[in-house]
Amino acid sequence: MQQEVDNKMVVIYTEDKDITTNLVMDWLSFLYKGEVKRMNTDFFQMPIQSEFFLDISESINIKGIWYRRPGRRPFPIRNIPEDLINEKIDNNKLQSLLLHSANKEIQNINAHDLANKYNAENILGGSLRYEVNKFDVLRIAKNTGIDIPKSILTNSKSKLIDFYNDCSGEIISKMHDMLLCDISETHSTYATYTEKIEMSFINNLPEYFFIAHFQEKLEKEYEIRSFYLDGEIFSMAMFSQKNEQTSVDFRRYNRDSMNRRVTYKLPSEIEDNIRLLMQELNLNCGSLDIVKTKDRYVFLEVNPVGQFGFLTGACNYHLHKKIAEYLIQ
């Protein structure tokens, strides 16, 4: 049933090519007769020829706001515009400090614009929560009673060998700043993946290297992707260990033989702990990764802006519709 006309606006902060946003907007166009404003946040650049105005003391009242992908980064100023200075600056230190100060100003303006321009009745996500510190999340998860993998941060070869032996030679390395680089010329993508670490690799390391994150390699029965939406948890099991290509990192998709994915229900105790974790993190939505071993549910991470399209598609959870309904409730 379509909702009665409401003149208040719905605002979505997202990215230019995010398909998930398109699908939610399709539902909004059917369910809601108010205005829906999409803000692509790939970058924020101080306008030069166009007008920028923001009243710091006031906000625009709207119906709902979804911080789908709020990770807008300001374009850095690399040179002080000549029309902003009265005389040439020959001092390199002063030039550097002026650039730092100007870029800090732009960052603060951008952050205020994202967080305070609109005052919404319904807010999904967070204006400054494009990502979380995953090391902090693991610590908080453990404190809320959630099982996590053995994990270390080190730059020491000897410490890494000790950890390798402590885990019976079964460890992985993880980068927590996900790198994705699309190469348009070759229609390909470079990405970072989780890797199993062998002793032959460790032997070739110098005594000290760039600080890295290592975890025990879990013997999984299957992986679980869960989507959290304001207290509700929608889960899917993925049998990634059945395929050698995806056994360590399911994102190494085998397009010729995709992993089996099925609807899944986590134990109530695990779901209750997830709710506690999300409350501690002040998140009302996000995608969570969990590994099921023979006798453990082991939490890996939460992504505040993680993808959930493949989850809702495989399990018929209709999450795009549920998000649209949340924004206009």
Side-chain angles (χ1 to χ4, degrees):
M1 174 188 287
Q2 290 184 315
Q3 184 167 311
E4 295 298 321
V5 174
D6 191 322
N7 293 324
K8 285 187 178 179
M9 182 167 52
V10 170
V11 173
I12 301 174
Y13 283 98
T14 185
E15 293 173 346
D16 181 46
K17 297 181 179 179
D18 185 57
I19 296 174
T20 294
T21 302
N22 298 342
L23 296 173
V24 171
M25 290 184 70
D26 286 344
W27 275 108
L28 285 170
S29 68
F30 174 73
L31 296 170
Y32 192 61
K33 293 307 179 182
E35 179 184 358
V36 178
K37 184 175 184 179
R38 175 175 181 154
M39 309 281 285
N40 291 327
T41 65
D42 299 61
F43 292 102
F44 175 74
Q45 189 169 15
M46 290 298 289
I48 298 175
Q49 302 299 327
S50 58
E51 179 181 277
F52 179 85
F53 177 81
L54 186 63
D55 189 333
I56 294 176
S57 63
E58 295 184 0
S59 298
I60 302 170
N61 290 324
I62 61 173
K63 184 68 176 176
I65 187 166
W66 182 25
Y67 292 105
R68 163 60 187 154
R69 289 288 175 98
R72 185 170 66 183
R73 299 291 186 268
F75 276 115
I77 296 176
R78 303 193 185 280
N79 294 292
I80 300 294
E82 292 184 2
D83 58 350
L84 294 183
I85 55 179
N86 295 322
E87 56 188 57
K88 183 175 175 59
I89 299 174
D90 293 320
N91 187 290
N92 289 334
K93 181 178 180 181
L94 177 58
Q95 178 81 12
S96 175
L97 289 173
L98 283 171
L99 284 173
H100 175 79
S101 178
N103 282 313
K104 191 66 177 178
E105 285 285 306
I106 293 177
Q107 291 173 13
N108 289 338
I109 291 168
N110 172 60
H112 182 80
D113 184 303
L114 279 170
N116 301 293
K117 185 173 184 177
Y118 297 104
N119 179 36
E121 295 176 21
N122 307 307
I123 301 175
L124 193 60
S127 60
L128 304 177
R129 301 305 299 274
Y130 186 85
E131 57 191 3
V132 292
N133 186 313
K134 297 182 180 181
F135 307 122
D136 284 345
V137 171
L138 285 172
R139 176 184 56 79
I140 294 170
K142 183 178 180 180
N143 290 341
T144 57
I146 298 175
D147 198 357
I148 65 171
K150 293 180 181 178
S151 303
I152 65 167
L153 290 167
T154 189
N155 69 339
S156 166
K157 182 177 181 176
S158 64
K159 293 294 186 183
L160 180 56
I161 291 173
D162 290 343
F163 186 67
Y164 179 90
N165 292 330
D166 183 50
C167 296
S168 303
E170 295 292 317
I171 66 172
I172 57 173
S173 67
K174 297 191 69 172
M175 280 192 68
H176 278 207
D177 186 14
M178 179 63 182
L179 172 64
L180 283 174
C181 181
D182 294 322
I183 311 299
S184 57
E185 293 80 3
T186 58
H187 303 287
S188 58
T189 300
Y190 284 93
T192 54
Y193 293 102
T194 299
E195 293 282 358
K196 188 176 187 297
I197 298 298
E198 305 288 357
M199 182 55 75
S200 57
F201 173 83
I202 298 175
N203 287 335
N204 288 324
L205 289 173
E207 290 304 312
Y208 299 101
F209 45 86
F210 191 86
I211 298 173
H213 178 215
F214 302 94
Q215 284 185 341
E216 63 173 313
K217 182 178 179 293
L218 299 163
E219 289 302 316
K220 59 187 176 183
E221 291 188 342
Y222 44 84
E223 293 185 65
I224 300 165
R225 167 60 67 92
S226 297
F227 184 71
Y228 180 91
L229 177 59
D230 194 37
E232 291 189 84
I233 300 170
F234 306 88
S235 298
M236 171 183 72
M238 300 178 289
F239 295 87
S240 53
Q241 81 288 352
K242 300 292 185 180
N243 189 304
E244 183 178 354
Q245 182 171 320
T246 61
S247 61
V248 175
D249 192 330
F250 79 87
R251 295 170 302 156
R252 288 186 178 273
Y253 304 116
N254 185 334
R255 304 292 180 180
D256 297 324
S257 179
M258 294 296 287
N259 297 150
R260 181 174 174 234
R261 301 167 178 172
V262 298
T263 304
Y264 193 82
K265 179 65 176 175
L266 286 165
S268 58
E269 180 182 356
I270 302 296
E271 289 197 341
D272 288 342
N273 284 337
I274 288 174
R275 292 185 183 97
L276 286 174
L277 172 64
M278 298 300 277
Q279 290 170 13
E280 285 289 321
L281 297 174
N282 196 27
L283 294 173
N284 63 358
C285 68
S287 296
L288 301 96
D289 289 329
I290 299 167
V291 164
K292 173 63 171 68
T293 69
K294 182 179 180 180
D295 54 4
R296 302 166 64 194
Y297 285 92
V298 187
F299 168 81
L300 300 182
E301 61 182 88
V302 57
N303 186 346
V305 297
Q307 297 289 3
F308 54 85
F310 70 117
L311 185 157
T312 192
C315 301
N316 294 316
Y317 285 136
H318 306 293
L319 292 176
H320 300 102
K321 181 184 179 184
K322 290 181 184 298
I323 287 173
E325 292 172 335
Y326 181 90
L327 293 171
I328 62 176
Q329 63 185 337

